[in-house]
Amino acid sequence: MSEQAKAVGPEALPELREQVERIVAEAKRQGASGCEVAVSLEQGLSTSVRQGEVETVEFNRDQGFGITLYVGQRKGSASTSATGEAAIRETVAAALAIAKHASEDECAGLADPALMARDLPDLDLYHPWDLNPDQAVERALACEAAAFATDARVTKADGTTLNTHYGCRVYGNSHGFIGGYASSRHSLSCVMIAEGEGQMQRDYWYDVSRRGDLLDSPENIGRRAAQRAALRLGARPVPTAEVPVLFAPEVAVGLFGHFLGAISGGSLYRKSSFLEGCLGQKLFPEWLTLDERPLLRGALGSASFDNDGLATYAKPFVENGELVSYVLGTYSGRKLGMPSTANAGGVHNLFVSHGDEDQKALLRRMGRGLLVTELMGQGVNLVTGDYSRGAGGYWVENGEIQFPVQEVTIAANLRDLFANILAVGNDVENRGNLHTGSVLVERMMVAGN
């Protein structure tokens, strides 16, 4: 491990904890009735290549802190990238000035001190990758070269990027809670362009992991990107029809992301969610469960405490198709008159239950319809649940892919879409915080030519 990696790893946590204590003490000295602080120190290397040439080699190192403090029921926040004593005093004073001019909010304030996390297990999130710029460039070039070698129709590269990032974060508040951890995240992505049949088509592939040695090989990533780009050649619209739609895993995650947005406390207390008041209702098929597993060792979404300092815990949001929990932090919980679900800042490792069928089996079950591998646009209205987005993918007849599709729009209401999920495949997407396989929906409107 390099000295640079050590500087932002677990060895830095004691110093960051001491910094949090100094900031909290300064906030109390200046008159805050309560405060919470997040201090971070991060470092990374990013390398990109295109057409066999190095485009960028960037090294970054960032540090700083953000503070939210309270004067009674008034709140003020400020942040800085400086860390000295003068910066602490000035940033606390700035937050305090904001708080004194803010309106009172009966729901403002820290979480109950009795709810602070006590046990903070080591979740094995820190695996720095001792990669120098030359090695990073070599991997990126190998990825791009493999893509070009895969198919003669792949004629241009649109960028291959390798990122390696690590750092540590410490959160503390005036209840005396201090928690911190070091983490790492490494990724390699490749975007290629294929030409043929009078078209140019772009597609990509990537991998991401806490551990650099667990990333898929540069050659595999390049080949997959090239294959996906070449397969899109000859894409065309299809006639407008209401047909089954199969979402590939990498786009299916977005469907459940919209669901999480609709059951999040912020949307609910603002009355801007189509799922307001739906707790206890059946929204999905009875066989479907969505559960959170925040304490998985080494997973990309793991965390032992949330942004309020509460201990995270495993729980379902949907059980046997029924909505059994909202996604709540302390503030949104108070606004709704409900306890926090330890989800301030979001969910951690959400898993969608699935069956034994792979994507090919789901295509056979679908028979005739659209396999969606790309989504475009922002046509999602969480107030009404209306969903309408541009899509690309493949037309399917008799359970087999026939030709690539572009310039179509798929539409439904999300509530109907969720209720009409027929199956979730075992081809689970594991490159992020949300884990799901391909999702087969009984019917959606596909608008083409």
Side-chain angles (χ1 to χ4, degrees), residues 122-360:
D122 177 9
L123 298 179
D124 191 34
L125 305 182
Y126 180 71
H127 296 276
W129 199 6
D130 198 7
L131 205 66
N132 64 41
D134 288 340
Q135 292 168 325
V137 166
E138 183 181 345
R139 284 176 173 267
L141 289 172
C143 182
E144 185 183 270
F148 278 126
T150 298
D151 194 307
R153 295 171 295 174
V154 175
T155 57
K156 294 182 176 65
D158 203 23
T160 298
T161 303
L162 186 149
N163 287 308
T164 176
H165 174 272
Y166 38 86
C168 46
R169 177 182 181 273
V170 174
Y171 166 89
N173 59 39
S174 51
H175 288 331
F177 172 82
I178 294 185
Y181 55 89
S183 64
S184 57
R185 184 182 180 92
H186 315 290
S187 64
L188 177 60
S189 64
C190 180
V191 186
M192 302 302 292
I193 298 171
E195 291 185 86
E197 302 185 45
Q199 293 182 344
M200 295 178 68
Q201 295 285 356
R202 175 190 288 106
D203 217 319
Y204 72 97
W205 198 245
Y206 75 99
D207 199 13
V208 59
S209 177
R210 295 279 186 195
R211 293 176 51 171
D213 62 329
L214 293 185
L215 285 178
D216 198 2
S217 73
E219 292 77 14
N220 284 345
I221 292 171
R223 280 192 290 267
R224 188 75 180 270
Q227 289 165 354
R228 286 168 60 95
L231 283 170
R232 294 182 64 82
L233 292 172
R236 59 187 190 267
V238 292
T240 297
E242 190 175 46
V243 293
V245 172
L246 180 63
F247 291 84
E250 59 270 21
V251 292
V253 295
L255 299 176
F256 296 102
H258 301 321
F259 174 74
L260 291 175
I263 64 168
S264 69
S267 296
L268 294 165
Y269 76 71
R270 294 185 183 96
K271 299 187 180 300
S272 58
S273 169
F274 72 100
L275 294 181
E276 181 189 354
C278 288
L279 199 63
Q281 293 185 18
K282 184 180 176 184
L283 300 178
F284 291 88
E286 193 166 332
W287 51 264
L288 193 142
T289 295
L290 275 75
D291 68 295
E292 180 186 31
R293 307 174 197 175
L295 302 179
L296 293 178
R297 287 178 58 81
L300 287 165
S302 294
S304 57
F305 59 91
D306 76 348
N307 287 0
D308 292 331
L310 275 62
T312 57
Y313 59 97
K315 57 184 171 293
F317 293 106
V318 172
E319 196 166 32
N320 300 324
E322 179 185 321
L323 177 62
V324 295
S325 174
Y326 291 141
V327 178
L328 305 176
T330 297
Y331 182 80
S332 60
R334 287 172 180 162
K335 294 287 282 187
L336 293 168
M338 305 175 73
S340 171
T341 59
N343 288 113
V347 302
H348 305 281
N349 301 322
L350 188 82
F351 284 77
V352 181
S353 60
H354 61 81
D356 297 328
E357 296 169 290
D358 60 13
Q359 189 177 94
K360 286 186 177 180

Side-chain angles (χ1 to χ4, degrees), residues 232 370 372 374-376 389-393 405-410:
R232 294 182 64 82
L370 180 67
V372 174
E374 180 184 22
L375 290 167
M376 294 150 279
R389 300 188 67 185
V405 171
Q406 66 180 8
E407 298 176 3
V408 299
T409 300
I410 57 173

